[in-house]
Structures are given as structure tokens and as C-alpha cells.
Amino acid sequence: AQSVTQLGSHVSVSEGALVLLRCNYSSSVPPYLFWYVQYPNQGLQLLLKYTSAATLVKGINGFEAEFKKSETSFHLTKPSAHMSDAAEYFCAVSDWQRDDKIIFGKGTRLHILP
Amino acid sequence: NAGVTQTPKFQVLKTGQSMTLQCAQDMNHNSMYWYRQDPGMGLRLIYYSASEGTTDKGEVPNGYNVSRLNKREFSLRLESAAPSQTSVYFCASSEGRRGIGNTIYFGEGSWLTVV
């Protein structure tokens, strides 16, 4: 069964510093991968997704992620953190060859230090 | 632009009571989902519907039933609520086309407390 593992339930970075949120996936077939963001008391919204085209995917708000098959990873990065980036981030995987279900990781809460 | 609308937003239930969470989407999407979100557990899929008239169990279906009433609506029912079902519930939908990496659109959540 497919799954994703997010390393670190909480990550703190200083404003202006690099943001790196880690995600590793497990899937028997090349999956589709997603990053979603959740702001307080809201639903989730899509940041970016990998669908087997370019391995480096750019998303909204300056975020990007790189699909690395050899490492089964899909880490999320942003060069310079902003206070407004404080939120919870979820990595997700879809076994598109079988069905449309999307399975989420446990989430990483990003804290931005002034 | 309503998107995915779920009701109620807040509900307190007594153990053993039943209730239905309603969800509707206005994007003509084929697939609809119910997730629950608990601290430290992320989002876990309860039930999934690929199209009108079909439903499939997710990761944590026990204690829940669903109905895909039509293409727009997907309800979640708790027949006999238990404290372990205290959670935030999210309804979501996606276009449901195979092979394109469908984006999921979420409702704003329903906060359910079972006492």
C-alpha cells in the first residue's frame, strides 16, 4: 500500500532562512505526489504536485519540490521564509494507476521565528 | 464561488447519538471524500466515492456510513457516536479523471465533539 512519511512534526526556521520540509513515499508504482498547506481553522489547499513530468515542481508562494526516485523523496523547499508561511504542511500520495484516492502524511507544522 | 460546502460547522453529541454531516460541491466533480483530522495523525481517509452510486472504504471506516446521494452530495453518518469520533471532519472533491493527478478541493471542516 502506498504511504508517505513526513520527518519532523514541528520545524522552526528564522524569517529569511531556508525552509526544508521532508517527505518520503512508499509506492509499488511511480506515484503522483502532492504538497498541501493548511492555515489555522481552514481546509487544505494545494501548494504543488508532481505528475511525472518535470522532477522539479514549482508551486505557489515561492515553494518548490523535487521528485527523487532513487531516494523516494519529495522534499518541499523555499529559499527565504516569511512570517505568513507559518502553517501546517501535508505531503500526499496517489496511486493514479489504481484509483483516485489520495493518502496524506501526518503533517509538519512550520514555525517562523522573527 | 462556493466550492465544497459542509454542514454543520460545529456539533456536540452525546455518546450513542446519531448524526449526519452533509457535504455538497458545485464544481461538477466526480470524486468525493471524507477525511478526519486528529492531532499528530494528519488526515485519514474515511470513505471515498469515485462517482455517483459508488463508495469505497478508506483507512478508518469503522463507525461510519456514507451516501453518495447524487453527483453533488456526499453525506457521512455516525450511527452511534463514540468519544473516539471527536475530530475535525473534512469533505473534499476532485475531478476524478485518471492519470492527471487530480487536485483535491476541501471544505472548511466540521468540528465534532462527542461527550
Side-chain angles (χ1 to χ4, degrees):
Chain A
Q2 58 193 354
S3 64
V4 289
T5 301
Q6 294 183 238
L7 295 175
S9 58
H10 292 265
V11 170
S12 296
V13 301
S14 298
E15 190 173 19
L18 172 72
V19 175
L20 170 61
L21 304 182
R22 300 177 187 273
C23 174
N24 289 88
Y25 69 90
S26 172
S27 178
S28 57
V29 296
Y32 286 167
L33 293 159
F34 308 79
W35 277 100
Y36 281 80
V37 61
Q38 184 182 32
Y39 298 104
N41 299 319
Q42 295 185 24
L44 282 71
Q45 56 183 282
L46 181 70
L47 267 181
L48 50 80
K49 61 182 177 182
Y50 166 75
T51 57
S52 75
T55 56
L56 181 63
V57 182
K58 294 187 184 298
I60 61 172
N61 301 335
F63 284 93
E64 62 182 38
E66 186 172 9
F67 174 71
K68 292 187 176 180
K69 185 177 178 181
S70 61
E71 299 177 6
T72 61
S73 69
F74 190 58
H75 301 330
L76 182 71
T77 61
K78 181 175 181 178
S80 177
H82 191 273
M83 295 300 291
S84 62
D85 295 327
E88 191 156 19
Y89 293 80
F90 293 90
C91 184
V93 62
S94 169
D95 180 1
W96 60 271
Q97 292 185 352
R98 190 173 68 175
D99 56 36
D100 196 36
K101 283 189 282 192
I102 297 182
I103 303 299
F104 286 84
K106 294 185 177 182
T108 298
R109 186 166 294 279
L110 177 63
H111 304 271
I112 309 297
L113 307 173
Chain B
N1 260 3
V4 179
T5 304
Q6 53 182 113
T7 57
K9 194 168 179 67
F10 300 97
Q11 184 73 49
V12 178
L13 282 178
K14 293 182 179 179
T15 298
Q17 285 185 320
S18 62
M19 77 157 297
T20 300
L21 297 174
Q22 307 285 356
C23 176
Q25 51 90 8
D26 62 1
M27 295 174 282
N28 200 34
H29 283 169
N30 291 309
S31 297
M32 296 188 74
Y33 313 76
W34 276 105
Y35 290 91
R36 61 177 288 174
Q37 184 177 23
D38 303 289
M41 301 297 291
L43 271 80
R44 292 180 291 172
L45 182 64
I46 305 171
Y47 269 95
Y48 158 70
S49 171
S51 62
E52 182 180 351
T54 67
T55 60
D56 194 12
K57 294 179 180 179
E59 302 167 89
V60 289
N62 292 342
Y64 304 94
N65 285 304
V66 290
S67 295
R68 184 73 183 268
L69 304 170
N70 47 56
K71 192 170 185 179
R72 289 187 65 248
E73 298 172 289
F74 188 40
S75 62
L76 178 72
R77 183 162 178 83
L78 286 69
E79 291 291 351
S80 179
S84 60
Q85 294 178 302
T86 294
S87 187
V88 183
Y89 292 84
F90 286 97
C91 181
S93 71
S94 71
E95 197 172 346
R97 286 168 50 203
R98 287 277 186 93
I100 68 166
N102 296 278
T103 298
I104 289 188
Y105 296 87
F106 284 84
E108 294 188 343
S110 296
W111 275 254
L112 177 64
T113 301
V114 183
V115 298

